[in-house]
Amino acid sequence: MSPQFVDFNGDGNLDIVAGIFDGSPHVALGDGKTWSQPKSILDKNGARIVLNAFWNFDSKAWDSTDRCDPTGGRPMKGGQPAKGHLTSAIAMDWDRDGDFDLVLGDHRSGYVYLRRNAGSNQKPQFEARNELVMAGDQPMHDPGTVATLRAVDWNRDGLLDLMVSGMGDPYGTKTGGGVAVYLNTGTADDKIAKFGQAISLIAPSKKGAMNNPSRPDSGLHPEAVDFDGDGDLDLLVGGYSMWTPAAKDLTTEQKTEVKKLKADLAEVAAAQKKTMDAIYKATEGLGQDERAAKLKKQFEGVSSEINKLNKTRRELSQRIQKLEPRAQRVSFTWLYENLAKTASGDTTGQR
């Protein structure tokens, strides 16, 4: 998710670092022409770097651990660390020692963590535990849970700041995602990054737009670029916009058509459920490997039927949508032009 192009191993070629949904950071090494298959980034003990929840490739199941929890017990009440699921990661020379450390974003609780590199880019030695990243005297936290992390000199003072965006509620009516920047409050002589409180660049979405999409509402993935060449950084933001189109005044005939289409759609949905129930019933009580093989065989036997039902359902839904528009959720790329007089201001404009 939100890959970063960076020379991770210091060989002069761009690599790709990214957190993915399995709960650990990965790197795809480049040779200047192509990239290798991504591999999990390991700590100095040869273990995967994770938060708590992760996909266990050996047992082929979701697993959990507390071996990477930060010492000290913050930030949850009662001294217990937040339960996390890592999906975002960037490489950043946090302590200015010439090698990349890892900054990790939590999809579950919205906190940001550091994994220090005690080695080098060529021979990384990442520590065994995460550290909480602080913003002032409080842990850095995105209320919409972390979607993207970016290290960027937002105010052009020569120090890397952190830009954090939120996933937000992906489907429902709860608060959506936003984008904030945490300015590095240290000096050029400091050997460790220090950050102030969040400066809101795009406020968390309240959703509920009518008639037309108005902004990215969930899953915000920003990039800071001087899009208009005026010397400050603007934002290109990818994300899902959620809105409700204006209702149409239907004729009597159209209302009758909608009723018929919905009845047909219900029949197709029932047929799909019947087919899937039969498939899963045939695999009840089987072991994991045997069940996987049985499922594959079952799906092969009814693939044409499933494809036909899917096609019919899609066509019916599209016909209903034209007559009776329902709530929309579509991804777009948005440009937010920076209209602030100073880089640390919180005024941005949208174009």
Side-chain angles (χ1 to χ4, degrees), residues 139-250:
M140 189 175 291
H141 179 253
D142 190 296
T145 75
V146 179
T148 300
L149 298 165
R150 286 290 180 260
V152 57
D153 185 3
W154 180 258
N155 58 356
R156 303 295 177 93
D157 65 351
L159 303 175
L160 286 177
D161 311 304
L162 266 182
M163 188 165 64
V164 182
S165 70
M167 290 295 297
D169 177 24
Y171 295 104
T173 58
K174 296 179 181 178
T175 303
V179 180
V181 65
Y182 296 82
L183 296 181
N184 192 332
T185 59
T187 69
D189 296 325
D190 289 333
K191 295 300 182 181
I192 186 171
K194 300 176 183 178
F195 297 99
Q197 297 298 313
I199 296 174
S200 178
L201 302 179
I202 303 175
S205 172
K206 297 180 179 179
K207 300 183 180 175
M210 299 298 294
N211 302 335
N212 295 292
S214 60
R215 57 158 289 165
D217 293 302
S218 66
L220 275 66
H221 296 277
E223 290 288 350
V225 295
D226 186 2
F227 190 86
D228 50 11
D230 65 353
D232 58 32
L233 292 174
D234 312 298
L235 293 179
L236 286 176
V237 185
Y240 285 101
S241 189
M242 303 164 72
W243 77 99
T244 301
K248 294 183 178 181
D249 292 327
L250 301 181

Side-chain angles (χ1 to χ4, degrees), residues 74-75 111 132-141 182 195-197:
R74 295 179 72 181
Y111 290 97
L132 270 170
V133 173
M134 305 296 289
D137 60 355
Q138 295 295 320
M140 189 175 291
H141 179 253
Y182 296 82
F195 297 99
Q197 297 298 313

